[in-house]
């Protein structure tokens, strides 16, 4: 049996270089680094992203900045520089150990001049000290001569061609080298510090090259055939978000690294604790087992453990896609895994939203509404940072208007939902009284003010919105939006009653602060009772007004295809069909499942499944589709959708994994296993599991925390 904790490959394919950089990302929740090579490779997309380090950019407002590069580690055999694009690669092996986050690469290389060496790089970003990362390089030369090693800190990085860093200074303190930079607009300072040590072999020469913005240490070693040489590079990164004294702090952290083995042990212990909480065991399906661990790993390395001013973006910290912005992906797709297994991380991520309530209020006001309206895309300040216009890739002379920031308002209810879910699962009343309740109450206030009374029809509606299915823009009465808004307001009333009896002083405070007068609450009740919720006699829910009148095209007849329906038909073309990018009504039935009968779920599942662009639509879809297939008793279909999510990044199903991990798909995968195949369900009395495992799965086992108590679910198929 293969090791189901390893992601590995035995060949390097330059065509998939960027995809693999994403796959081999490592990190610790403070920062993460893409899997580019230490020595570089033509056109590589090197990237290190530190949570919260945003800087301004034209058009898209702000982006998570590519930090100064801590990886550079250049090897020259005599005067021939080691690089996989020259000479001959006689062996290549790369593996990521998900158990410990150690990335290893073994290359047997013959230089163009015929010198041979066996080179092994190992690196990890410590889970024990979030500011430190280490590289170890062993070279076994097959020739007599000299090998030069150059280790640098490189401040000349850009973020998709935009330079964000000013150079402030650099230097040495004894053996430690440091570099000090600052972002241009947000003026965040970042210091990196480095030590470079010989641990095996004889140095001939050792020098500090004081190149501006790339301080470098050069060590030349004697090479003899078969005699191993080993060097270690220790690095630390600290920003002014952590402390004002960034240089001193970075130097202190890097000097605190005792040695490789001690640092590795501490890191391994940290990971052992993470996996004790987070591992999910699947027996009988090696591909799914490894992929699930990989996806959990990717979320864990992006998870803010010690910072509640940040949250996880749609591409984690693994790529340039979506510029580090945070979407509903976080609360609806990623957060449940943390709520159930790592509540302190979930709380940090919800605190990020809480801290941005002021901006959300401003956001509502700007649009002429009350309460809190969270941005569709969020960054450091909580303002709306969705780009308004983007270039049209098919016609460079035109721009495309992006409407999501204007009208994809369901995110406010999604955040309220995740807040409530966190409270119910963890029982964290203190946090809820102090922070969570306010999120739910103020988003409810927004929904009540946004509802429009239709005099003719005699009901409230939400017009001109975008639901989860983004193939259809400017729709009226999107069922998901209307029902989630109603849920938000209903829940707010329940929360207010609860506060009145459990935390009366806080209830009074919030009533005054948010102006929750009797009249306002009466309006909420009126909207709740009179909101338009489109549903037919059969239980079939129309996704939005007029959806059933749109062109009904046969998706199956368009197979085989390798593009999304939107790329085939164009934005307007797709808008005129019933094809949807991702579950919309079905995700509503997933989130508010207890309010719908099995028959309702089946009717909607049967209608919307063939209308969904499962393979090339949104990567958010397949996991939810899988859960709903379990709900309607179709385990084979559930598995088919599940496998799409399993392969989303590892097999680059959409051809865009180079931009970063599809984090919502990763979180959805965890939910598909836990709420789909295991059928975990929290009830007021406790919890229950209603498994429907794929036929070849022999066992499914995981842990979760319910009201602070560790629970185990262990489902075994009878032989
Ligand atoms: C999806 C959205 C998602 C966004 C970021 C879009 O393609 O349709 O639902 O929030 O990507 O992942």
């Amino acid at each position: 049996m293969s090791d189901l904790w390893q992601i590995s490959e035995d060949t390097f394919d330059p065509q998939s270089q960027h995809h693999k950089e994403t796959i081999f990302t490592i990190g610790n929740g403070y920062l993460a680094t893409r899997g580019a090579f230490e020595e570089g490779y033509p056109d590589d997309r090197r990237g290190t992203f530190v949570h919260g380090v945003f800087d301004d950019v034209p058009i898209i407002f702000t982006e998570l900045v590519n930090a100064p590069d801590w990886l550079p580690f250049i090897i020259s055999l005599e005067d021939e520089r080691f690089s996989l694009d020259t000479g001959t690669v006689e062996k290549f092996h790369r593996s990521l150990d998900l158990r410990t986050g150690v990335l290893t690469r073994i290359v047997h290389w013959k230089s163009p001049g015929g010198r041979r060496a066996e080179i092994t790089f190992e690196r990890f970003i410590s889970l024990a000290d979030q500011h430190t990362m280490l590289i170890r390089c062993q070279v076994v030369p097959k020739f007599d001569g000299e090998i030069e090693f150059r280790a640098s800190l490189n401040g000349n990085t850009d973020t998709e061609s935009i330079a964000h860093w000013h150079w402030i200074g650099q230097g040495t303190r004894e053996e430690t080298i440091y570099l000090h930079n600052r972002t241009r607009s947000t003026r965040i300072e970042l210091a990196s510090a480095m030590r470079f040590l010989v641990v095996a072999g004889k140095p001939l020469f050792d020098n500090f090259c004081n190149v501006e913005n790339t301080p470098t240490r050069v060590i030349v070693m004697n090479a003899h055939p078969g005699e191993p040489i080993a060097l270690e590079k220790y690095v630390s990164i600290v920003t002014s978000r952590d402390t004002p004294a960034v240089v001193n702090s970075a130097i202190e952290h890097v000097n605190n690294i005792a040695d490789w083995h001690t640092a590795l042990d501490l890191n391994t212990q940290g990971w052992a604790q993470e996996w004790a909480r987070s591992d999910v065991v699947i027996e009988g399906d090696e591909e799914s087992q490894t992929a699930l661990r990989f996806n959990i790993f990717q979320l864990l390395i992006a998870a803010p453990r010690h910072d509640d001013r940040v949250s996880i973006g749609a591409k984690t910290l693994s790529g340039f896609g979506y510029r580090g912005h945070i979407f509903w992906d976080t609360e609806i797709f990623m957060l449940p895994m943390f709520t159930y297994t790592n509540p302190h991380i979930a709380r940090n991520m919800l605190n990020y939203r809480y801290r941005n309530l002021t901006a959300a209020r401003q956001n509502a006001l700007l649009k002429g509404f009350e309460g809190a309206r969270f941005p569709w895309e969020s960054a450091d300040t909580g303002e709306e940072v969705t780009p308004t216009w983007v270039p049209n890739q098919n016609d460079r002379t035109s721009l495309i208007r992006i409407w999501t920031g204007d009208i994809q308002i369901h995110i406010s209810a999604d955040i309220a939902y995740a807040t409530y879910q966190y409270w119910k699962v963890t029982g964290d009343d203190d946090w809820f009284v102090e922070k969570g309740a306010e999120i739910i109450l103020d988003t409810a206030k927004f929904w009540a003010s946004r509802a429009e009374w239709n005099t003719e029809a005699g009901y409230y509606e939400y017009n001109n919105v975008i639901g989860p299915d983004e193939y259809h823009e400017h729709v009226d009465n999107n069922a998901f939006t209307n029902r989630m808004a109603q849920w938000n307001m209903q829940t707010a009333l329940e929360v207010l009653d609860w506060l009145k009896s459990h935390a009366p002083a806080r209830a009074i405070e919030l009533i005054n602060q948010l102006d929750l007068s009797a009249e306002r609450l009466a309006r909420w009740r009126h909207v709740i009772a009179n909101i338009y919720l489109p549903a037919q006699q059969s239980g079939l829910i129309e996704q939005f007004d007029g959806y059933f009148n749109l062109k009904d095209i046969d998706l199956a007849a368009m197979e085989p295809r390798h593009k999304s329906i939107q790329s085939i038909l164009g934005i307007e073309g797709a808008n005129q069909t019933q094809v949807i990018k991702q579950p919309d009504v079905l995700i509503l039935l997933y989130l508010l499942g207890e309010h719908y009968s099995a028959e309702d779920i089946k009717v909607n599942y049967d209608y919307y499944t063939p209308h969904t662009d499962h393979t090339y639509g949104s990567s958010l879809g397949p996991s939810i589709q899988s859960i709903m297939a379990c709900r309607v008793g179709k385990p084979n279909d559930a598995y088919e959708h599940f496998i799409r999510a399993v392969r989303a990044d590892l097999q680059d199903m959409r051809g865009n994994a180079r931009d970063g991990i599809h984090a919502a798909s990763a979180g959805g995968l965890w939910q598909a296993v836990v709420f789909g195949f295991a059928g975990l369900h929290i009830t007021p009395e406790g919890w229950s599991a209603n498994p429907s495992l794929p036929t070849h799965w022999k066992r499914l086992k995981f842990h979760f925390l319910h009201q602070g108590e560790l629970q185990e679910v262990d489902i075994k198929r009878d032989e």
Side-chain angles (χ1 to χ4, degrees):
M1 191 168 87
S2 49
D3 182 346
L4 305 180
W5 290 90
Q6 301 286 335
I7 302 295
S8 61
E9 60 180 10
D10 289 312
T11 48
F12 170 61
D13 172 12
Q15 295 302 318
S16 61
Q17 161 171 230
H18 300 143
H19 166 218
K20 292 302 168 63
E21 286 170 359
T22 298
I23 297 300
F24 291 110
T25 298
I26 56 173
N28 61 6
Y30 174 79
L31 57 72
T33 298
R34 285 168 63 77
F37 297 153
E38 286 79 356
E39 71 282 6
Y41 190 86
D43 189 36
D44 56 3
R45 286 201 197 166
R46 311 170 78 77
T48 290
F49 300 95
V50 185
H51 259 312
V53 179
F54 284 91
D55 197 31
D56 298 352
V57 249
I59 316 280
I60 41 129
F61 306 108
T62 186
E63 70 181 353
L64 196 64
V65 165
N66 185 11
D69 188 9
W70 63 277
L71 290 181
F73 196 126
I74 288 161
I75 304 172
S76 300
L77 310 184
E78 296 290 342
D79 55 354
E80 295 184 291
R81 185 168 160 165
F82 164 63
S83 176
L84 293 195
D85 67 322
T86 63
T88 315
V89 177
E90 297 178 332
K91 172 179 171 165
F92 178 90
H93 178 79
R94 175 155 62 164
S95 59
L96 170 60
D97 184 351
L98 301 170
R99 225 184 250 111
T100 57
V102 176
L103 179 61
T104 305
R105 181 164 53 109
I106 300 169
V107 184
H108 293 183
W109 188 67
K110 189 169 103 187
S111 71
R115 295 183 184 89
R116 281 198 160 83
E118 296 175 4
I119 300 170
T120 305
F121 276 109
E122 290 168 280
R123 71 188 193 224
F124 68 94
I125 297 181
S126 175
L127 208 58
D129 175 354
Q130 62 169 357
H131 296 285
T132 61
M133 36 267 189
L134 294 87
I135 299 175
R136 179 185 166 88
C137 173
Q138 178 177 289
V139 179
V140 182
K142 302 288 173 188
F143 66 97
D144 267 312
E146 290 177 5
I147 304 185
E148 184 194 79
F149 295 87
R150 283 175 172 259
S152 328
L153 300 169
N154 180 11
N156 296 306
T157 53
D158 60 40
T159 312
E160 306 232 274
S161 307
I162 297 174
H164 284 288
W165 295 104
H166 271 306
W167 176 84
I168 302 183
Q170 65 187 53
T172 53
R173 293 247 183 103
E174 296 176 2
E175 294 291 283
T176 304
I177 292 171
Y178 68 87
L179 171 66
H180 189 183
N181 299 91
R182 186 174 60 217
T183 54
R184 284 164 188 244
S185 303
T186 47
R187 300 179 75 80
I188 298 173
E189 291 184 27
L190 183 148
S192 29
M194 163 182 105
R195 285 161 63 206
F196 193 36
L197 315 169
V198 175
V199 290
K202 259 196 245 90
L204 290 172
F205 172 83
D206 179 346
N207 202 7
F208 170 52
C209 287
N210 205 2
V211 185
E212 185 168 307
N213 219 6
T214 317
T216 301
R217 184 146 174 212
V218 184
I219 299 181
V220 177
M221 306 283 296
N222 241 328
H224 298 299
E227 283 182 22
I229 297 169
L231 287 93
E232 291 171 358
K233 177 179 181 182
Y234 307 158
V235 183
S236 157
I237 288 184
V238 174
T239 81
S240 52
R241 296 183 69 260
D242 312 308
T243 169
V246 288
V247 172
N248 287 345
S249 175
I251 291 173
E252 200 179 308
H253 278 283
V254 83
N255 288 347
N256 275 343
I257 297 175
D259 56 63
W260 171 271
H261 294 289
T262 309
L264 183 60
D265 276 354
L266 292 171
N267 171 67
T268 306
Q269 284 165 28
W271 273 107
Q273 285 168 15
E274 283 298 336
W275 283 117
R277 281 190 285 264
S278 310
D279 191 27
V280 176
V281 175
I282 297 171
E283 288 178 11
D285 184 343
E286 295 193 353
E287 180 187 8
S288 298
Q289 171 68 88
T290 309
L292 186 59
R293 285 186 174 139
F294 169 77
N295 280 279
I296 294 171
F297 174 85
Q298 287 296 340
L299 290 175
L300 289 175
I301 64 171
R305 288 175 179 73
H306 308 291
D307 190 348
D308 72 353
R309 294 163 296 162
V310 297
S311 190
I312 308 179
K315 300 288 176 193
T316 64
L317 298 172
S318 63
F320 298 88
Y322 288 127
R323 315 274 175 166
H325 295 177
I326 294 139
F327 296 67
W328 75 313
D329 307 36
T330 306
E331 280 74 19
I332 296 299
F333 294 85
M334 304 175 217
L335 206 74
M337 181 185 102
F338 294 112
T339 294
Y340 279 82
T341 59
N342 251 316
H344 76 283
I345 292 178
R347 193 175 52 220
N348 280 346
M349 290 160 68
L350 287 169
N351 280 350
Y352 160 80
R353 295 295 193 180
Y354 179 76
R355 285 170 176 276
N356 286 332
L357 262 179
T358 310
R361 287 178 184 129
Q362 195 58 29
N363 202 10
L365 263 183
L366 279 172
K367 302 272 177 192
F369 301 108
E370 298 178 318
R373 178 193 187 280
F374 283 100
W376 178 248
E377 293 187 28
S378 185
D380 48 350
T381 63
E383 289 160 283
E384 181 62 74
V385 291
T386 307
T388 322
W389 296 92
V390 296
N392 181 351
Q393 299 301 340
N394 301 322
D395 169 11
R396 292 300 175 99
T397 63
S398 67
L399 294 171
I400 298 176
R401 177 73 163 88
I402 303 295
W403 288 103
T404 50
D406 303 71
I407 56 175
Q408 196 154 356
I409 53 176
H410 64 80
I411 187 160
S412 294
D414 307 333
I415 292 169
Y417 181 92
T419 303
Y420 186 77
Q421 185 183 49
Y422 169 83
W423 178 41
K424 288 292 153 186
V425 174
T426 61
D428 188 351
D429 289 351
D430 291 347
W431 178 85
F432 191 72
V433 168
E434 197 192 325
K435 300 195 168 104
E438 192 174 337
I439 296 179
I440 297 177
L441 290 166
D442 220 13
T443 44
K445 191 171 161 185
F446 163 70
W447 286 117
S449 82
R450 174 64 167 78
E452 296 157 66
W453 178 250
N454 181 330
T455 321
E456 223 170 279
Y459 53 58
Y460 287 97
E461 48 188 13
Y462 292 104
N463 292 326
N464 191 24
V465 302
I466 302 176
D469 155 37
E470 294 173 346
Y471 281 177
H472 298 93
E473 298 181 329
H474 305 291
V475 302
D476 295 340
N477 292 314
N478 166 249
F480 179 92
T481 306
N482 287 20
R483 180 66 183 96
M484 289 297 285
Q486 185 196 43
W487 174 89
N488 198 157
M489 290 179 280
Q490 256 163 351
T491 305
L493 290 173
E494 181 199 313
V495 162
L496 194 56
D497 284 345
W498 184 87
L499 279 178
K500 282 179 187 160
S501 53
H502 291 82
R506 179 69 176 143
I508 293 169
E509 199 174 78
L510 284 172
I511 288 170
N512 292 334
Q513 184 195 327
L514 306 179
D515 183 25
L516 304 179
S517 61
E519 299 78 66
R520 185 184 295 283
L521 299 185
R523 153 103 181 166
W524 291 12
R525 287 194 191 92
H526 199 251
V527 180
I528 292 167
N530 296 289
I531 184 94
Y532 175 56
L533 296 173
Q536 295 183 348
Q537 200 68 45
S538 62
L540 182 62
I541 298 172
E542 185 167 35
Q543 190 177 295
F544 52 81
D545 285 354
Y547 170 83
F548 290 139
N549 303 333
L550 296 173
K551 225 182 294 166
D552 193 2
I553 60 172
D554 183 1
L555 266 184
M558 293 178 77
E559 299 296 343
R561 65 185 165 95
H562 304 285
K563 284 182 181 175
S564 72
I565 287 298
Q566 198 179 49
S567 353
I568 296 172
L569 302 179
I571 296 179
E572 217 9 72
N575 203 12
Q576 287 166 14
T577 74
Q578 287 193 36
V579 181
I580 61 175
K581 184 178 180 188
Q582 62 208 76
D584 193 304
V585 169
L586 286 190
I587 189 162
L588 170 66
L589 303 190
Y590 167 50
L591 296 180
L592 300 185
E594 70 275 24
H595 300 278
Y596 296 92
S597 70
E599 199 37 47
D600 287 344
I601 292 178
K602 185 172 178 323
V603 164
N604 286 284
Y605 180 90
D606 288 346
Y607 191 86
Y608 285 104
T609 301
H611 287 97
T612 309
D613 193 356
H614 299 293
T615 314
Y616 298 105
S618 170
S619 67
L620 280 64
S623 53
I624 303 300
Q625 194 67 40
S626 170
I627 297 170
M628 297 316 280
C630 288
R631 300 271 152 95
V632 297
K634 295 190 171 175
N636 292 341
D637 292 5
Y639 191 70
E640 188 189 319
H641 295 296
F642 175 76
I643 279 295
R644 287 197 177 98
V646 159
R647 296 180 182 162
D649 285 316
L650 284 169
Q651 297 199 15
D652 197 7
M653 293 290 278
R654 286 175 174 72
N656 62 0
R658 61 178 182 272
D659 298 334
I661 290 294
H662 291 87
S665 171
L669 202 60
W670 183 90
Q671 294 189 59
V673 170
V674 169
F675 304 126
F677 295 133
L680 180 68
H681 183 57
I682 302 289
T683 61
E685 293 73 44
W687 59 270
S688 65
N690 178 20
S692 52
L693 299 194
T695 43
H696 59 297
W697 287 19
K698 297 193 169 55
R699 186 178 187 187
L700 172 60
K701 181 178 149 196
F702 59 88
H703 292 98
F704 70 97
L705 286 157
H706 183 238
Q707 308 273 328
E709 299 284 326
L710 189 67
Q711 313 290 328
E712 181 180 277
V713 177
D714 192 355
I715 303 160
K716 292 182 191 144
R717 186 181 288 286
D718 299 332
E719 292 299 333

